[in-house]
Amino acid sequence: MIEQYVLDLQEIDGGQVAVVGGKGPHLGELSRIEGIGVPGGFCVTTDAFRRIVAEAPSIDDRLDQLSRVKPDDREAIRTLSAEIRRTIEGIAIPDDLAAAITRALAQRGEQAAYAVRSSATAEDLPTASFAGQQDTYLNVVGPTAVLQHVSRCWASLFTERAVTYRQRGGIDHRTVRMAVVVQRMVFPHAAGILFTADPVTGNRKVATVDAGFGLGKALVSGLVNPDVFKVREDEVVAKAIAAKRRAVHALPAGGTQEVAIDSRRQEEPALTDEQVVRLVQLGRRIEAHFGGPQDIEWCLVDDDFQIVQSRPITTLFPVPEAGDQENHVYVSVGHQQMMTDPMRPLGLSMWQLTAMAPMHEAGGRLFVDVTRPLASPASRAGLLDVIGRGDPLVRDALQTVLDRGDFVPALPDAGPGGPPGAGGASATIETDPAIVTELIERSQVSIAALERDIRAKTGPALFDFLSEAFEEHKRVLSDPLSMQAIMAGMEATWWLNDKLREWLGEKNAADTLTLSAPNNVTSEMGLALLDVADVIRPRPEVVAFLQGVGIEDEGFLDDLAKLAGGTEARDAIEAYLDRYGMRCVGEIDITRPRWRERPTTLVPVILDNVRNFEPGAAERRFEQGRQKAQEKEQDVLSRSRALPDGDRKADEAKRMIDRVRTFIGYREYPKYGIVSRYFVYKQALLAEAERLVQAGVLPEKEDIFYLTFQELHDVVRSQQVDDRLIQRRKDAFRSYHALTPPRVLTSDGEAVTGAYRRDDVPAGALIGLPVSAGTIEGRARVILDLAEADLEPGDILVTTFTDPSWSPLFVGITGLVTEVGGLMTHGAVIAREYGLPAVVGVEQATRQIRDGQRIRVHGTDGYVEILP
């Protein structure tokens, strides 16, 4: 292969990232868009960089060391990256390479001024911008200076900030190469940045222009505050003109300097409104060419705009595809299901195929379109009421959209509406525990039939069978009796909280009345792990063995049997897995490893239980909760009888207490049934994947996770797979982790953030939703991964979200704080079951609360104080 060291920008297209890095292809594409001015220039290719690095074998050793350094070890990164930079800058540029660069300069004017800009192969990509991670040099004059600054750009691949960025993104330093763009310098009257979508709200219809005098470097470096213009539909809809006291100008002999701006000009707009609108129109043309919102660097020269860079805005949350031009409002499914992490394609499609409402995918998450129920007054009221009880932030965000008056169309009443699981069945059933028993038996029979009938199914026949199984899945979920039982428990809870507050002035009385409610499969799961700890505790050899088990030691259960008392310990864990092994963190995503598949996940929790509890703790805790609930019942009934019309009030309260204790535990069972079915589906699909691996169709079983259910069906039928599609899906999934899913998202791309709008909390307190009464003070344990839990008695768990898989931790904590959640989500229900004060929906709790800080959780009033 002949190495090519220099390419004219006009020769470069979007497929040459490996040759000219991220900036080069964008500039090449920009230069060919009609009506877009781009300063001419050329690119020094990655072939040149590769040749320079080959001159210094010592770089390899340092890259080996870097690969072993953790992203937060700043000192090691600083030292190693500085050594690599010094080495690269110290390498003399070979004569033939230097000649190729100087020839390209001679064609454009040797003594002209140039901008010399880094263009790494891992920047300005669709999923990671790397903006500002490498260096740019302006107003470089003469071949000697250009060559020197090309060398500096090569070295800047290893600035501390660039190395850290790649470490955090899991990008191998060896796979990244550096090209260098050399462009004719322009000397602008004004310069700045154009975002073709609002970078704060994500609204794709609002463009933002930042502008200042002189070179754009003044804005990028933070030297001055820019003028900010917002443009919608060719009209400046908002602007803020800053006092621009400084600017960066080019020096005649090369380089730049800061200059003071005449005081009479400091508050003049850098652009006129007409220029701003014209610039945004150019931006829309560039956006259309690249197929997505752009971050564009521009310069104004003699009333003409020159574009010096355009990169994708990678921080925007994607918009679900609607297939029309109508306005849509979407509510996050992840915030309802306590799983805001991205899901793989198979997980997304399986949830879509088994859900009770149409769901739309964006950014690896699912959303429900609530536009229609919002549009008619009757259904709107019901939707906002149910959502508001569950998550006030979602309700407030929806109300914010409605208050604008022009986004959601007005429709005639279309009947009741709401999100999946919000209702739809009037709770008219009798308060009869036999109903719950019957519903659980129905579910168990249906799952047993699924397990029996799926065993013999393989190949295309398996997928035909699963399509029918999904219909049974939805039939069980939509069983009217089941929905009535769920709503009966929820409505009784709401009734008790509302009425007892009105009658007795007591907040959240139902929290105590639901302690140790029967038939709660999730709270039983947490207590059952205490029983497992009871088997292990008196066996020191087993405890010592488990303390040495790592997350990758998947064969540890077999090894247990070789120890004294190990058989009993293994049998206890196996029995637990038989009942609960289908659960895991993020269990709505079928691709997540289940406890049965990765039982090591449970080992730290078992060891915490061994250390922190006495034998028989499960039975004692359940009985204590039941007695507290009984005492609370007697208390509220006697106080109610003492009120005017007290006998009637006490009788009504008694009926609702009986109702809530009969049905509230069942609230957790449908999810258990769903996840039980998912594990059966998953085992069958993985067996099919194993056959594809053996046939040489797939390299790894888990590759099926990056295909939708229908795509996997097609692969099984055709025995062919698109490897590039799977790789693209893997890259996209990795990038989705950097995105924060909004509770509410519009079709304009706007992420609408709700607020609590409360003034009844102390200054500095973190506001959330009260879901389990009581006040507790203790050490905050900020835990993002269940497998890394290390709890001491009295700790308060602080995390992003909890689903049923976290409930084994709940037996060992005294309080709960989460970023996501609502009154009836799983963490809230279990917190009430165990009597843990809990506040959920606390924005950025895991960032605002540091691990180890002392905090006070006000579970009755819904806020958290960070203590000195």
Side-chain angles (χ1 to χ4, degrees), residues 171-209:
I171 296 170
D172 185 348
H173 302 296
R174 294 176 187 279
T175 64
V176 185
R177 304 278 184 266
M178 179 67 84
V180 181
V181 173
V182 182
Q183 274 181 291
R184 281 296 292 260
M185 186 72 190
V186 293
F187 302 97
H189 157 72
I193 309 292
L194 159 63
F195 298 96
T196 64
D198 190 315
V200 177
T201 68
N203 194 322
R204 298 336 192 242
K205 291 186 177 177
V206 175
T208 300
V209 176

Side-chain angles (χ1 to χ4, degrees), residues 290-309:
F290 287 114
Q294 297 289 300
D295 165 357
I296 297 166
E297 296 175 29
W298 56 269
C299 297
L300 181 67
V301 185
D302 299 329
D303 200 39
D304 281 330
F305 287 103
Q306 293 283 304
I307 305 301
V308 295
Q309 182 54 21

Side-chain angles (χ1 to χ4, degrees), residues 320-325 328:
E321 291 184 14
D324 60 36
Q325 298 303 309
H328 294 271

Side-chain angles (χ1 to χ4, degrees), residues 418-723:
S426 175
T428 56
I429 54 175
E430 294 297 314
T431 303
D432 182 359
I435 292 173
V436 173
T437 304
E438 179 190 343
L439 286 168
I440 291 172
E441 286 176 358
R442 281 189 202 175
S443 177
Q444 290 172 339
V445 167
S446 179
I447 292 167
L450 171 67
E451 290 173 332
R452 180 187 68 240
D453 296 343
I454 203 170
R455 285 184 192 132
K457 303 293 190 295
T458 60
L462 170 64
F463 290 83
D464 294 339
F465 172 82
L466 284 172
S467 295
E468 294 176 11
F470 297 161
E471 294 308 309
E472 166 67 4
H473 181 125
K474 288 193 281 190
R475 188 196 65 73
V476 171
L477 269 187
S478 61
D479 181 341
L481 188 63
S482 177
M483 297 181 77
Q484 286 176 334
I486 292 169
M487 288 308 298
M490 291 168 65
E491 289 174 356
T493 301
W494 298 334
W495 189 97
L496 285 165
N497 280 338
D498 291 346
K499 291 296 184 182
L500 295 180
R501 183 167 188 175
E502 177 190 334
W503 296 345
L504 305 175
E506 184 165 345
K507 295 179 182 177
N508 303 329
D511 294 359
T512 307
L513 293 166
T514 54
L515 287 171
S516 298
N519 295 309
N520 188 319
V521 69
T522 309
S523 65
E524 289 166 3
M525 178 172 70
L527 296 175
L529 208 58
L530 288 175
D531 292 335
V532 172
D534 284 354
V535 176
I536 290 168
R537 190 179 293 104
R539 296 173 166 84
E541 206 174 323
V542 171
V543 173
F545 171 78
L546 291 177
Q547 287 168 341
V549 169
I551 194 69
E552 301 300 325
D553 298 335
E554 296 303 342
F556 82 97
L557 285 172
D558 293 332
D559 295 334
L560 260 182
K562 302 169 188 172
L563 306 173
T567 302
E568 293 85 350
R570 182 195 63 188
D571 291 348
I573 295 172
E574 286 282 3
Y576 186 86
L577 291 172
D578 287 344
R579 180 144 168 75
Y580 304 111
M582 76 294 289
R583 311 219 79 150
C584 67
V585 173
E587 60 194 10
I588 70 168
D589 182 355
I590 199 171
T591 72
R592 291 287 193 105
R594 311 283 134 176
W595 289 344
R596 170 54 80 183
E597 297 169 308
R598 191 176 290 171
T600 52
T601 306
L602 294 172
V603 170
V605 190
I606 293 171
L607 289 172
D608 280 348
N609 288 348
V610 167
R611 185 175 69 249
N612 297 334
F613 291 94
E614 295 296 321
E619 188 176 344
R620 278 197 307 278
R621 285 178 68 97
F622 187 82
E623 182 55 28
Q624 285 164 2
R626 195 186 65 76
Q627 286 180 7
K628 280 184 186 175
Q630 201 169 40
E631 289 164 8
K632 187 67 175 177
E633 176 180 334
Q634 297 307 315
D635 173 56
V636 299
L637 292 180
S638 65
R639 288 161 61 201
S640 297
R641 284 195 185 93
L643 298 170
D645 197 16
D647 288 343
R648 178 188 61 80
K649 289 175 178 173
D651 289 346
E652 286 183 9
K654 172 60 175 168
R655 279 199 300 275
M656 286 301 174
I657 292 168
D658 290 346
R659 198 164 179 77
V660 81
R661 290 197 65 79
T662 297
F663 292 116
I664 200 64
Y666 178 71
R667 167 75 178 79
E668 294 291 294
Y669 202 87
K671 183 79 170 282
Y672 177 77
I674 291 170
V675 177
S676 297
R677 289 174 183 280
Y678 265 29
F679 192 41
V680 179
Y681 305 153
K682 183 179 186 180
Q683 288 171 304
L685 291 173
L686 282 175
E688 202 60 40
E690 183 59 48
R691 285 187 277 275
L692 291 172
V693 170
Q694 289 172 357
V697 178
L698 287 177
E700 295 179 0
K701 280 195 306 184
E702 286 76 15
D703 283 350
I704 67 166
F705 297 161
Y706 298 93
L707 299 170
T708 67
F709 179 79
Q710 186 55 53
E711 287 167 348
L712 179 54
H713 189 180
D714 294 340
V715 168
V716 168
R717 201 164 38 217
S718 67
Q719 294 291 292
Q720 291 182 317
V721 71
D722 183 347
D723 295 329

Side-chain angles (χ1 to χ4, degrees), residues 224-489:
V224 297
N225 291 324
D227 296 340
V228 180
F229 303 84
K230 291 193 181 293
V231 177
R232 185 182 182 113
E233 296 175 353
D234 291 341
E235 181 185 351
V236 176
V237 294
K239 60 183 170 183
I241 306 305
K244 301 170 287 297
R245 295 182 177 85
R246 312 283 292 172
V248 175
H249 285 174
L251 293 168
T256 61
Q257 71 172 13
E258 292 178 22
V259 298
I261 295 175
D262 187 298
S263 60
R264 290 166 296 182
R265 293 186 59 223
Q266 287 178 3
E267 297 194 26
E268 285 181 12
L271 297 177
T272 66
D273 284 9
E274 181 275 329
Q275 288 171 330
V276 170
V277 170
R278 181 152 46 93
L279 174 60
V280 170
Q281 289 170 342
L282 294 175
R284 293 294 181 210
R285 195 178 300 175
I286 294 168
E287 179 183 64
H289 178 85
F290 287 114
Q294 297 289 300
D295 165 357
I296 297 166
E297 296 175 29
W298 56 269
C299 297
L300 181 67
V301 185
D302 299 329
D303 200 39
D304 281 330
F305 287 103
Q306 293 283 304
I307 305 301
V308 295
Q309 182 54 21
S310 183
R311 60 173 67 88
I313 307 176
T314 60
T315 55
L316 300 176
F317 200 87
V319 182
E321 291 184 14
D324 60 36
Q325 298 303 309
E326 303 298 318
N327 289 347
H328 294 271
V329 182
Y330 302 98
V331 170
S332 163
V333 173
H335 285 80
Q336 294 176 51
Q337 291 293 335
M338 298 300 95
M339 219 296 273
T340 54
D341 291 345
M343 297 167 68
R344 295 174 180 84
L346 186 62
L348 290 165
S349 67
M350 292 289 280
W351 192 260
Q352 287 171 309
L353 287 165
T354 53
M356 301 307 299
M359 295 195 174
H360 307 266
E361 184 273 333
R365 279 80 168 187
L366 292 169
F367 295 84
V368 175
D369 187 342
V370 295
T371 316
R372 181 161 289 277
L374 278 181
S376 73
S379 57
R380 180 190 310 148
L383 174 68
L384 292 177
D385 179 57
V386 171
I387 279 183
R389 288 182 181 274
D391 189 334
L393 293 177
V394 175
R395 188 195 195 286
D396 189 75
L398 292 176
Q399 192 64 57
T400 299
V401 176
L402 287 167
D403 288 347
R404 292 172 185 165
D406 59 354
F407 191 83
V408 177
L411 295 175
D413 285 351
S426 175
T428 56
I429 54 175
E430 294 297 314
T431 303
D432 182 359
I435 292 173
V436 173
T437 304
E438 179 190 343
L439 286 168
I440 291 172
E441 286 176 358
R442 281 189 202 175
S443 177
Q444 290 172 339
V445 167
S446 179
I447 292 167
L450 171 67
E451 290 173 332
R452 180 187 68 240
D453 296 343
I454 203 170
R455 285 184 192 132
K457 303 293 190 295
T458 60
L462 170 64
F463 290 83
D464 294 339
F465 172 82
L466 284 172
S467 295
E468 294 176 11
F470 297 161
E471 294 308 309
E472 166 67 4
H473 181 125
K474 288 193 281 190
R475 188 196 65 73
V476 171
L477 269 187
S478 61
D479 181 341
L481 188 63
S482 177
M483 297 181 77
Q484 286 176 334
I486 292 169
M487 288 308 298

